[in-house]
Amino acid sequence: MDVLGHLASGFGAALSPTNLMMAALGSLLGTLVGVLPGLGPTAAIAILFPLTTVLAPAPAIIMLAGIYYGAMYGGSTTAILLNIPGEVASVPTCLDGYPMAQQGRGGVALGISAIGSFFAGTLGVVALTFFAPFLADQALRFGPPEYFGLMVLAFTVIASLSGGSLVKGFAMAFLGYFISLIGLGPSTAEPRFTFNWGPLMGGVDLIALIVGLYAISEVFIGLEEERVAITQKIRNVFPRLADLREAFPAILRGTGIGFFLGLLPGCAPGVTVFMAYDVEKKLSKHPERFGKGAIEGVASPESANNATSSAGFIPLLALGIPASAPLAVLLGGLLVYGLQPGPLLFQKNPEFVWTVIASLYVGNVILLILNLPLIGMWVWLTRIPYGILGPVILLLAFIGAYSVRNSMFDVGVSFVCGAIGFFLRRHQWPLAPMLLAFILGPLLEKYLIQSLSMSGGNPLIFFQRGISLALIVAAALLLLTSLALVRYTRRRVKEETAEELAL
Amino acid sequence: MTWIRTVIVLVAALVLLSPLAAEAQDYPTKPIEIVVPFTPGGGTDLIARLLADYMGKKWGQPILVANKPGGGGIIGARAALKDSRPDGYTVLIDIHTTSSMHIGAWKTPQLTLADRKYAARIVRDPMVFAVKVDAQWKSFKELSDWVKAHPDQLIWSSVGPSGPSRYTAFDWFTQIGVDPSKTRMVITEGAADSLTKLAGGHVLLSIHSVAEAHALTTAGKIRLLAVLSPSRVKYLPDVLTAEEQGVMKGVRVQWWAAVAFPSATPDPIVKKWESAIAEMTKDPAFLAGADRINMNIDFLNAADMRAFVEKEVEGYTDMAGKIGIRR
């Protein structure tokens, strides 16, 4: 296929005044909603989606993509300045971003996050441009055993997300997995823990859980602390040369990890950001700086996040498989306009696909231009008094929880999760392993059952296939290293500060 | 300030009287919600959006599509049929899984036929047997013979443990004399998931509806060996029916979508939908939209639809019992 020719005509369309305006408007609105604490890309797209339905397909999807990118970036802003991740993918950004903000380096963290996002987003789109048709085929080689191996690999991350206590970490992972069991089983459709109560049949919704655990519990904590907004001045958003030098390898690695894992349908930014953060911590000569404001700890997951988001367009457009919740909402958007993603989309609607791809380039540039100078304004937004912001977040959180399935039950779930999250956070139980197990647990179960169905019950299937064998071996190695590293880090932290390590 | 009081009284009177004015001939006087008990992007969702588009233009009222997925569609169907006001402003896109298959598979189903009133069926989408494009079998007959000889080597994908794929496969296995429990069934999450596994060579056979299998067929990733329909389907003129190939008799399983209301909905409103749908299924613009998503439009009026579903319930109750999944 003449990729460059297609791309050129795509740019021709993407740079038309209307489409350019839509990309800018989308980025702006997305950032605006994403910057509100607790609201992530999914909620932002869900809230803003009705606005785009009056447009023609191409500008509407361009605007939606802008909202998506903008909200991702906005989410980083609240993660860094307020320690509130709007989405799983922003959790690792909090770990080092917030300490940086507390040290008065919030501006630099935001700057490096914008630069890393731009770099990864653009590189991701370049790769998307050239590999999309080819990669649509490669993704097919991943069958259930390969996905099972991948899930095992992803699960080893729990060890390093557990903060001080492995016991607490695994207990939380178990709790997360337990909550994910509620509803109809993925393979058997057997009701589990539903107590014959209709609403529980559908299980606990991911968005309601996230909104509850992170946004609503945040409001409770804020009210309890009678929090006043951060008044620190953001002096300088442009990182120093030394900062850049330190962050650049992390940006590269984050981009690589985020992109290649993001190609796999089902591998959401929530997984890759943790892996990127972990790898960075493993490779660092000073892993003890992580969690205390290491610039690599911001740069790497932020880059991975955007690279995964860009890569996620490949399985979305080429196979019709959304890799994450916001992409699932985007998929809905495509279908509203009668464009069915799948291998045919590239052949049937090339002008549309390539206009969208070209607009992703444009969107990344717009986002960078918008964000570096406007960081001051976004910060100002986060400084709205808590008495106003708290109820607004609560309202938006409830709307977000409601909008996914149009269900009041989910609003109740988010409220309950808010109370649970508040309690857990007060007592230093780590939320991240819980969320990870909630997301990955059902997938692990599904791929296990599917693989065993394929092999007639023979577990050797995981070791007879090259890719799955490699993944499982990698998981075992990673688990051993991370256990050793966690033990080492904990000892070092105790030596240095005589305190328990908390993430 | 008496004029303010007058205005208030007038507005209040209008608000209070408006429900009385809203008789069936004026229907609809406010936005209508179409409930799709599945996620966006599936066949049910696409057909709902075409319907919403047509009726919205016809009646000049906004028609909103609300996706309420979960619980195999039962949650959304319950919300529309049981937990909403039976005033004609909540409409359900009802399909086999939320009605006949659900009723057939459960001894105490959460929803029965008594809970709904059908306006009409819009779509009837037959099932197809799909293999990878370079698979060894050239015809459905060849595949059936191979399965008879090697039942334990057949790895096939179904959608859910009691979805249309499983019933179709059961019907096929029974008719060619193969013990279904000897084959290897991989349960997937949906047509996209299942067909991706087929195209990747992880399973050997997938059974889906025409609309679901169409994209990957045209893209040259999968090949269709047979369509389970009384006659060939216009989108697939070269695919023989299972009966033409002498492998299976009759059609017990197919994909369909109909418009249903809570059972207490006034008849005139349901009638109004019935005739509007009859008109719609002849409208060239609507048919062109259905062509785009490869949906086989096949209108059935309210009475015939009722009889059709009742017959299906019998069939699925029988098959679910024999498979051993009726509980």
Side-chain angles (χ1 to χ4, degrees), chain B residues 91-251:
Chain B
V91 184
L92 172 71
I93 302 289
D94 200 13
I95 70 165
H96 44 87
T97 36
T98 45
S99 59
S100 52
M101 271 183 203
H102 172 72
I103 299 166
W106 290 85
K107 286 174 188 140
T108 49
Q110 294 204 36
L111 287 168
T112 64
L113 290 186
D115 292 321
R116 67 242 297 161
K117 219 177 235 179
Y118 284 108
R121 186 182 73 190
I122 303 176
V123 178
R124 185 186 66 86
D125 190 16
M127 306 298 287
V128 287
F129 289 80
V131 294
K132 199 165 180 249
V133 72
D134 53 4
Q136 59 181 101
W137 314 285
K138 296 287 164 264
S139 72
F140 192 42
K141 183 92 182 61
E142 267 181 54
L143 172 70
S144 303
D145 289 339
W146 181 85
V147 174
K148 268 192 262 184
H150 316 275
D152 56 327
Q153 286 182 32
L154 177 70
I155 305 176
W156 60 283
S157 57
S158 85
V159 175
S162 56
S165 333
R166 181 144 190 203
Y167 286 111
T168 310
F170 177 81
D171 196 14
W172 174 48
F173 291 143
T174 321
Q175 293 202 32
I176 62 173
V178 165
D179 177 3
S181 68
K182 286 205 175 125
T183 64
R184 296 177 185 182
M185 175 180 67
V186 176
I187 296 176
T188 64
E189 279 189 334
D193 185 17
S194 164
L195 288 166
T196 312
K197 288 185 169 63
L198 182 69
H202 306 289
V203 300
L204 299 176
L205 169 75
S206 296
I207 304 170
H208 291 289
S209 78
V210 172
E212 288 166 340
H214 193 268
L216 279 175
T217 311
T218 333
K221 304 266 184 210
I222 61 172
R223 194 149 51 83
L224 306 181
L225 293 183
V227 56
L228 191 54
S229 174
S231 55
R232 293 196 202 176
V233 178
K234 69 170 171 177
Y235 302 112
L236 310 162
D238 305 330
V239 180
L240 305 181
T241 68
E243 201 155 347
E244 273 181 290
Q245 304 185 57
V247 180
M248 291 171 76
K249 278 211 172 68
V251 177

Side-chain angles (χ1 to χ4, degrees), chain A residues 126-351:
Chain A
V126 171
L128 168 69
T129 310
F130 291 98
F131 294 124
F134 163 76
L135 286 166
D137 274 346
Q138 291 308 301
L140 290 179
R141 293 182 55 192
F142 267 70
E146 286 74 23
Y147 275 114
F148 178 80
L150 191 70
M151 290 303 125
V152 172
L153 185 67
F155 256 94
T156 61
V157 178
I158 288 176
S160 42
L161 285 179
S162 301
S165 158
L166 271 183
V167 179
K168 275 187 176 180
F170 278 98
M172 291 302 292
F174 186 79
L175 176 66
Y177 182 54
F178 172 75
I179 297 175
S180 80
L181 288 180
I182 298 172
L184 300 179
S187 295
T188 56
E190 199 72 49
R192 300 157 161 179
F193 305 107
T194 56
F195 308 103
N196 257 331
W197 188 40
L200 278 182
M201 293 277 181
V204 173
D205 180 67
L206 173 67
I207 303 300
L209 185 88
I210 291 179
V211 158
L213 284 180
Y214 288 100
I216 297 177
S217 74
E218 191 61 43
V219 175
F220 291 156
I221 289 178
L223 292 178
E224 187 200 43
E225 290 172 351
E226 291 176 24
R227 173 181 304 173
V228 281
I230 300 173
T231 46
Q232 61 158 298
K233 278 259 185 308
I234 298 298
R235 281 181 299 272
N236 191 4
V237 297
F238 294 99
R240 286 168 297 142
L241 204 61
D243 289 330
L244 273 179
R245 201 176 302 136
E246 224 174 342
F248 190 68
I251 290 178
L252 272 186
R253 280 190 288 266
T255 304
I257 292 172
F259 183 77
F260 285 107
L261 288 177
L263 291 179
L264 303 171
C267 206
V271 177
T272 60
V273 288
F274 283 116
M275 284 203 172
Y277 184 80
D278 240 38
V279 165
E280 216 44 55
K281 197 170 167 181
K282 295 263 151 66
L283 290 179
S284 171
K285 288 192 192 95
H286 306 283
E288 72 282 355
R289 287 196 304 115
F290 279 74
K292 292 181 195 155
I295 197 161
E296 307 97 288
V298 175
S300 168
E302 276 300 301
S303 312
N305 193 354
N306 265 47
T308 308
S309 314
S310 304
F313 278 97
I314 296 173
L316 179 73
L317 295 176
L319 294 173
I321 304 172
S324 61
L327 284 179
V329 182
L330 270 183
L331 175 67
L334 284 168
L335 292 163
V336 170
Y337 303 108
L339 297 157
Q340 193 162 16
L344 263 188
L345 190 64
F346 279 84
Q347 277 130 53
K348 257 189 177 168
N349 305 83
E351 18 7 275

Side-chain angles (χ1 to χ4, degrees), chain A residues 325-499:
Chain A
L327 284 179
V329 182
L330 270 183
L331 175 67
L334 284 168
L335 292 163
V336 170
Y337 303 108
L339 297 157
Q340 193 162 16
L344 263 188
L345 190 64
F346 279 84
Q347 277 130 53
K348 257 189 177 168
N349 305 83
E351 18 7 275
F352 169 80
V353 177
W354 290 101
T355 306
V356 170
I357 292 180
S359 79
L360 295 180
Y361 285 94
V362 178
N364 269 305
V365 175
I366 290 180
L367 207 58
L368 190 71
I369 297 174
L370 262 177
N371 277 311
L372 284 181
L374 285 184
I375 280 176
M377 190 179 98
W378 304 134
V379 173
W380 176 79
L381 268 179
T382 65
R383 227 181 275 155
I384 297 169
Y386 215 74
I388 297 171
L389 196 55
V392 171
I393 298 173
L394 213 53
L395 182 71
L396 290 175
F398 286 151
I399 293 173
Y402 179 78
S403 60
V404 182
R405 295 194 291 201
N406 297 308
S407 139
M408 272 316 280
F409 171 73
D410 289 342
V411 176
V413 166
S414 68
F415 190 78
V416 172
C417 288
I420 296 173
F422 171 66
F423 176 80
L424 291 169
R425 289 171 67 177
R426 285 285 309 279
H427 295 86
Q428 275 86 48
W429 289 77
L431 294 178
M434 176 178 170
L435 203 52
L436 195 74
F438 179 84
I439 298 170
L440 300 182
L443 297 176
L444 186 83
E445 179 195 334
K446 183 182 84 182
Y447 295 130
L448 175 70
I449 293 178
Q450 287 183 343
S451 306
L452 293 179
S453 305
M454 283 170 67
S455 70
N458 187 349
L460 282 179
I461 188 170
F462 300 114
F463 306 102
Q464 287 160 344
R465 298 166 59 121
I467 302 177
S468 76
L469 179 67
L471 285 166
I472 289 174
V473 170
L477 292 177
L478 191 69
L479 184 66
L480 290 178
T481 4
S482 53
L483 283 178
L485 273 173
V486 164
R487 212 170 301 138
Y488 163 83
T489 317
R490 199 163 51 186
R491 197 189 69 231
R492 292 277 299 127
V493 169
K494 261 196 173 149
E495 281 170 12
E496 300 287 343
T497 63
E499 266 175 37

